Amino acid sequence: MTRSVRTRFAPSPTGQLHLGGLRTALFTWLWARHNQGTFILRIEDTDSKRFDPASVESITSALKWLELDWDEGPEVGGGHGPYVQSERGAIYRSHAEYLIGAGHAYRCFCSPARLVDLRRRQQNAGQPSGYDGHCRRLAKRQAQAMADRGQEHTIRLVVPDSGTIQVDDLIRGRISVDAATLHDPVLLKSDGMAVYHLAVVVDDHLMGITDVLRGQEWLPTAPYHRLLYQAFEWDVPIFVHLPVILNPNGEGKMSKRRPPLVDGVAMPVHVDEFRDAGYLPEAMFNFLALLGWTADASEEVFPRDELVRRFDVSSISAAPATMPYDKLAWMNGLYLRKMEREAVLAMLQPYLTKAFGRTPSQLSAMSGLTIVVGELVDRIRTLSEAPDWLEWLFADPAELDYPDPDMLLARKQDRATSVALLKSAADTVATMPVFNAVSLETAIRDAAGRADTKPGLYFGCMRAALSGTKASLPLFPIAEALGQDNVVTRLRHAAQVLEACHATGA
RNA sequence: GGCGCAUUCGUCUAAUGGUUCAGGAUACCGCCCUCUCAAGGCGGUGAUACGGGUUCGAAUCCCGUAUGCGCUACCA
């Protein structure tokens, strides 16, 4: 009989969800699904000062983007709600009171000013900073009386003065911390709302969470949570602290404040940015699952159900990983090439609309797009790279810009020869009864044969003439996409440009 | 500063004391294909941070050093 696993993703809505958060969500979801367990979404908004209402939407839309469906939580409900911590204040307060009664917590009346001063003095003295336990010495009755009089206070956890506190982490083993290095943390703020430490333990227990997956930044405070479970006499869940994702620029974990730069270009950090940059959810899912975990020693591409089947938290790496943007791009290209052409076309639409100002219906009427999309996907790694390869398709046939007319030169040929090749190509095309990629190639090869010229000489300068770039999609699909008339126009235009350039001796 | 965690090719990683002159992927380089650029195929360069132990045997276990990361709030 298998254990019934319940996991949760518990982000705090303080801004856009970033890649590390999405990876945590993915691992948490994967573990629940692997065990046929339950995946819960909980919003940890106990800090009203940092609350950003837009970020709840950012979180849920990111999860939906990767199709990480939650069984309980906002939008779907469930039997362990509410799933928003700001709606659970009364629960935290009663649990904090229970802790006071049991002698595991106490009221602290120290002013913020005293705390700041204390910290300053400790730092100046080179001492570790932390609460000095001042209010621990207050008699319980006296503290109660002060509270009854309405004096502002917090509730702090009693941390033993000595001894070792041990926490078991599934991927790191047992972690031991000397209690003397710990200080009494605030559990309940003076505004009556819980601090993370209390809220997370109470909620995880009440929601029946069996496996806690969270970021490595929680490892140092895990002993507090262990103490809390002990104080409540609750079973301790399995802890899995996930390694952080590092910024490739070597400045710690990924953040928007210090954007990761690759070749001087700022890379995406927030989930929305990855989506906007044209990464596919399928690729993102596969990639993220393999960042810090391995499904197989020699394979990297897996469908999502296979990842679910293989996923195992105990084989997650404990070491932080630098975000390999190049590998993500490679994998995205791979998924792009596996997609149906129609689907790619549909996903391309917003990027083309933005770049070329065509409406979606105008775009879908462009048969040329359908003709070249297969060649296009071989050359892009993200959807946002597509417009750069398609300028020629949207340019006026008679007005394509040739920033460097030399590109129109046939390989190792002079200008006069190249101009002649372009003109001859135009004449050939103009007289073709049936025009498409295949017939064009035949026609040009025939023309080359008659002129005793290598066909490649035609191909090179024609491609430059039609596309306006040195590196472009292949000639024949481009030509078919453009249509016979446009091809003739553009070839003649190119010949003119090259000739004019020659005439001026430039 | 204190506490904790980590450390295998540039990067993501495999190896769970012996099937390893350390495997895969990406990136890079070369070749093939080829109208350019790609894609695809084939091949190549490239790593166990350092120093001590333990052991017949260490990338793997222990200790120290170094480095990196995280935490050190009435943030999460």
Side-chain angles (χ1 to χ4, degrees):
Chain A
M1 136 125 202
T2 53
R3 170 176 85 91
S4 160
V5 170
R6 288 172 63 84
T7 67
R8 87 304 194 270
F9 175 53
S12 63
T14 52
Q16 298 267 296
L17 189 69
H18 63 262
L19 191 71
L22 187 61
R23 204 264 314 252
T24 300
L26 173 63
F27 277 20
T28 308
W29 179 91
L30 238 18
W31 189 230
R33 294 291 171 259
H34 173 81
N35 291 290
Q36 279 113 45
T38 306
F39 176 63
I40 296 163
L41 174 62
R42 184 174 72 219
I43 304 298
E44 307 218 326
D45 58 345
T46 52
D47 185 356
S48 54
K49 286 190 278 298
R50 295 207 308 158
F51 177 70
D52 171 7
S55 57
V56 175
E57 165 65 17
S58 159
I59 291 161
T60 55
S61 74
L63 297 182
K64 287 171 187 169
W65 185 49
L66 288 202
E67 293 179 50
L68 306 182
D69 55 317
W70 54 101
D71 306 304
E72 297 177 22
E75 298 180 19
V76 301
H80 301 261
Y83 294 93
V84 176
Q85 289 185 331
S86 57
E87 296 169 19
R88 298 173 66 83
I91 299 173
Y92 307 132
R93 284 189 286 279
S94 67
H95 281 80
E97 293 294 340
Y98 166 81
L99 253 17
I100 291 177
H104 294 298
Y106 60 93
R107 297 182 203 280
C108 172
F109 296 88
C110 292
S111 65
R114 173 175 188 271
L115 265 19
V116 169
D117 184 56
L118 174 67
R119 191 157 41 239
R120 207 200 63 232
R121 285 202 321 268
Q122 287 167 330
Q123 276 166 0
N124 288 348
Q127 299 292 318
S129 60
Y131 186 60
D132 59 0
H134 181 260
C135 291
R136 220 149 104 168
R137 293 184 284 275
L138 233 48
K140 205 185 266 183
R141 207 178 310 148
Q142 188 190 350
Q144 184 64 53
M146 289 168 77
D148 289 344
R149 259 182 276 132
Q151 262 200 55
E152 273 214 345
H153 64 281
T154 61
I155 294 179
R156 286 184 186 269
L157 175 69
V158 176
V159 175
D161 294 323
S162 61
T164 313
I165 303 167
Q166 299 185 319
V167 181
D168 290 318
D169 178 275
L170 196 66
I171 58 182
R172 289 156 226 275
R174 176 158 298 180
I175 290 149
S176 299
V177 181
D178 184 352
T181 64
L182 264 25
H183 303 277
D184 299 352
V186 170
L187 258 22
L188 207 71
K189 299 182 239 184
S190 56
D191 67 0
M193 183 42 80
V195 162
Y196 176 83
H197 305 306
L198 209 219
V200 74
V201 168
V202 168
D203 287 349
D204 283 346
H205 176 259
L206 261 24
M207 293 180 184
I209 304 303
T210 57
D211 301 57
V212 172
L213 280 75
R214 67 202 331 185
Q216 198 191 33
E217 61 268 28
W218 295 111
L219 201 52
T221 50
Y224 294 136
H225 307 149
R226 173 65 209 274
L227 249 23
L228 245 10
Y229 277 100
Q230 245 166 42
F232 284 121
E233 296 176 39
W234 290 339
D235 287 339
V236 181
I238 293 170
F239 286 113
V240 185
H241 290 94
L242 272 17
V244 294
I245 302 177
L246 266 23
N247 197 326
N249 67 12
E251 294 176 7
K253 62 179 171 182
M254 287 220 299
S255 77
K256 200 57 201 166
R257 251 198 79 232
R258 293 169 176 278
L261 301 179
V262 172
D263 295 331
V265 180
M267 301 307 282
V269 173
H270 296 316
V271 178
D272 290 356
E273 296 171 326
F274 282 94
R275 185 172 45 203
D276 291 349
Y279 290 96
L280 308 177
E282 296 82 358
M284 217 58 201
F285 187 103
N286 191 155
F287 169 81
L288 240 26
L290 266 36
L291 186 54
W293 175 71
T294 324
D296 185 278
S298 60
E299 290 292 319
E300 310 232 332
V301 182
F302 294 98
R304 95 191 327 244
D305 59 345
E306 189 58 22
L307 290 166
V308 167
R309 195 178 72 74
R310 296 181 183 228
F311 190 69
D312 178 11
V313 282
S314 67
S315 57
I316 293 170
S317 164
T322 303
M323 170 63 189
Y325 280 99
D326 55 352
K327 200 160 182 174
L328 201 215
W330 160 75
M331 187 170 279
N332 201 64
L334 214 60
Y335 275 85
L336 220 37
R337 269 165 250 128
K338 287 204 289 192
M339 288 187 64
E340 294 293 332
R341 302 296 184 238
E342 284 71 28
V344 176
L345 243 20
M347 288 191 309
L348 236 28
Q349 177 262 310
Y351 298 90
L352 299 181
T353 295
K354 186 166 178 242
F356 303 114
R358 304 298 165 88
T359 65
S361 58
Q362 282 174 319
L363 287 171
S364 56
M366 290 178 70
S367 60
L369 273 176
T370 313
I371 294 165
V372 297
V373 68
E375 297 292 349
L376 176 69
V377 292
D378 279 350
R379 288 161 180 81
I380 59 175
R381 307 206 295 176
T382 62
L383 295 169
S384 59
E385 293 170 11
D388 283 349
W389 289 91
L390 297 172
E391 294 277 352
W392 54 272
L393 186 56
F394 294 88
D396 187 293
E399 289 175 4
L400 196 59
D401 217 23
Y402 301 104
D404 173 17
D406 277 356
M407 76 170 69
L408 295 168
L409 258 25
R411 192 174 146 79
K412 289 181 182 164
Q413 303 300 312
D414 61 21
R415 290 174 197 222
T417 309
S418 301
V419 168
L421 283 167
L422 287 168
K423 283 181 172 168
S424 135
D427 293 341
T428 301
V429 172
T431 58
M432 285 174 66
V434 177
F435 183 79
N436 57 43
V438 175
S439 65
L440 175 63
E441 177 164 4
T442 308
I444 296 296
R445 285 188 189 279
D446 287 351
R450 285 194 301 276
D452 198 22
T453 310
K454 284 193 185 125
L457 295 183
Y458 280 96
F459 299 156
C461 60
M462 284 177 73
R463 203 172 41 70
L466 297 188
S467 73
T469 53
K470 275 197 278 242
S472 78
L473 303 187
L475 169 62
F476 303 112
I478 281 186
E480 185 176 329
L482 244 21
Q484 189 165 15
D485 293 347
N486 283 351
V487 169
V488 173
T489 306
R490 203 165 277 183
L491 289 173
R492 294 207 162 117
H493 168 63
Q496 252 170 34
V497 168
L498 189 57
E499 213 164 23
C501 163
H502 184 215
T504 58

